[in-house]
Every structure is written in structure tokens, then in C-alpha cells.
Amino acid sequence: KKLGAARNTGRTIARGRYIWNVDSDDKIVPNCLSEMLGICEENDLDVLEFRPVSFSEEGEKELPSVPPTQYPLTGLDYMEHLDAYTLSQMSSVWRKMIRRSFLDDNGIFSPEINYGEDVPYSFKVLISARRLMCVSKICYKYRSNPDALTGKNWSPNARSLYEKCFHNAQLIHDVSSSVPKKYVNVTHSFNEAAAYTLKRYTLFFGQMGLSEQKEFRRICRGAFFKN
């Protein structure tokens, strides 16, 4: 049922106070959970963001991170002071530990698609968070794998390209439309993310055969007519 649905299944049967989505080919830093949970409990957090590194056969490399906070902020107040690139670093679902009751209270579930589903999900989490903190502790190790779903060797087909670009851009735009008007920078960054997601299809469309290109056009026409 695709990655987004699998995450929702795990979320539905989870019984812990917090949810952390760890991708199957990645790692977490040994013995980090007690410290992370302590920060969440001590500060009554909805969301805790932390730093990741990437790793491969060549070794580890630090990934871009976001500025740490000294005390809890609303997600919107925190994001309003970030540029679009820095905010994009918060779009990965595995970079955050989230209170399960917060997700339930706000009705937040992952889009049931296979490509880029964490971006609209993470943005919805961030604009809804009343108590968010970012820490400089490295907790996550992301495997750099060119054969992964998001790798550069990704081979698109019509349905996956539609999900990755057109459908995902619409989901991000929907989240952006619910941001209060005073948070101008957040809205601008979300719209930039939607535009970037939409135009990426030009990178992949030419890689598909004629039959897949025809199917892609059919899916897009049907979606636009439906909406």
C-alpha cells in the first residue's frame, strides 16, 4: 500500500508516547533514546528536531541542520525566522520525534503515496506544533544509497512521477493555505517548496518511454478534471 500507508499502519498500532519514523536502511545513534525522551518529557514537547549525519562505504558526513532552540517555541514562530533552504531541512520525517497524542489531536496522517510523502506531512506537523525544540545532538544516521527511492538512479514511471511532483506539490500547497497570514516567510517557503516539487518533473519526464509519457498525461488530465 506504499510507504505513506505503512507509516500510518505503524502509527495506528503504536502504543508509546512518541513516534519516530526510522527508515529501514538507516540507523539511529546508540543509546540516544533516553536523552531524547528526557528532553521531550522535561519540556512537554509536541515535536523534537535533532541533527542527522549521512553514511556510506566512504564514511560519515554531517548533513545540514537547523538552528537549535533554548526553549520551546511554536513551530510557526520558529520557522518564520528561517530561510527556505534551512526550512527544507525540516521536511524529512526521520529528523523528528513527535508526541503521538499531538498527532491524534490534530488528525495528522501521512499521505498514502510512495514518493516525497514526508514533506507535506512534516510541514503539517510543524505548523501545528505548539511546543517545538531543536537540539544539536546527532541522533540519526541516513544511509546514502543511490538505489533508494529518492536516489539519483530512480527510474520513474507515470504514477510515481505524478505522485512525486504534481500530487505532492498540491499537498504542500494545501498545507501552505492553512498558514496564518502574519507568517509571511513560512508561506513563501512552503510555496517555494511546492514550486520546486512541481518543476522537478521535467528532470524525469524525458527518461520515460512514450507509453509512460502518454499515461502520465492521462493521469494529470484526470486529476485536474476531478479537482
Side-chain angles (χ1 to χ4, degrees):
K1 292 181 64 179
K2 302 186 179 179
L3 178 55
R7 284 184 171 150
N8 289 336
T9 298
R11 148 83 181 285
T12 301
I13 66 174
R15 293 294 175 264
R17 283 174 56 83
Y18 294 89
I19 300 290
W20 185 11
N21 288 276
V22 177
D23 284 355
S24 58
D25 56 348
D26 296 341
K27 300 179 181 181
I28 64 174
V29 173
N31 305 313
C32 67
L33 281 171
S34 60
E35 182 176 352
M36 293 168 63
L37 287 169
I39 294 172
C40 289
E41 296 285 356
E42 181 180 346
N43 295 279
D44 191 27
L45 297 182
D46 297 322
V47 182
L48 175 66
E49 290 266 347
F50 38 82
R51 290 170 61 197
V53 294
S54 67
F55 71 97
S56 64
E57 294 179 355
E58 285 73 39
E60 292 185 358
K61 184 174 73 172
E62 191 168 324
L63 292 173
S65 59
V66 296
T69 58
Q70 300 300 316
Y71 49 85
L73 298 169
T74 70
L76 284 166
D77 285 340
Y78 179 74
M79 291 187 294
E80 181 66 8
H81 302 290
L82 302 180
D83 59 36
Y85 174 78
T86 305
L87 177 57
S88 71
Q89 304 308 311
M90 304 179 75
S91 64
S92 298
V93 66
W94 39 259
R95 296 179 69 127
K96 49 185 62 67
M97 181 176 280
I98 308 170
R99 187 203 305 268
R100 181 163 59 89
S101 61
F102 159 79
L103 293 171
D104 292 340
D105 291 345
N106 289 277
I108 301 175
F109 286 89
S110 177
E112 297 199 347
I113 56 178
N114 218 29
Y115 300 93
E117 78 300 324
D118 51 347
V119 179
Y121 174 85
S122 291
F123 286 171
K124 179 68 173 177
V125 165
L126 293 170
I127 68 170
S128 303
R130 303 304 302 169
R131 297 183 65 83
L132 172 145
M133 287 187 69
C134 300
V135 295
S136 58
K137 180 178 177 61
I138 295 173
C139 299
Y140 196 86
K141 296 188 175 186
Y142 173 82
R143 187 184 302 273
S144 180
N145 178 10
D147 296 321
L149 282 176
T150 54
K152 58 186 176 184
N153 292 337
W154 178 67
S155 298
N157 57 47
R159 173 54 61 180
S160 65
L161 183 59
Y162 171 74
E163 288 183 354
K164 189 179 184 76
C165 299
F166 281 65
H167 183 56
N168 215 0
Q170 181 63 56
L171 292 173
I172 297 170
H173 175 74
D174 291 346
V175 175
S176 175
S177 65
S178 64
V179 175
K181 290 184 178 180
K182 70 175 182 176
Y183 294 101
V184 178
N185 287 340
V186 177
T187 300
H188 174 72
S189 295
F190 282 7
N191 287 338
E192 279 199 1
Y196 172 75
T197 299
L198 182 62
K199 71 180 182 182
R200 288 181 71 195
Y201 91 94
T202 59
L203 299 174
F204 302 109
F205 184 76
Q207 299 177 20
M208 298 192 302
L210 292 178
S211 61
E212 285 291 336
Q213 290 179 355
K214 183 178 179 180
E215 175 65 8
F216 177 77
R217 293 189 179 98
R218 186 196 66 79
I219 293 172
C220 289
R221 283 197 300 271
F224 296 147
F225 180 79
K226 179 180 178 181
N227 294 329

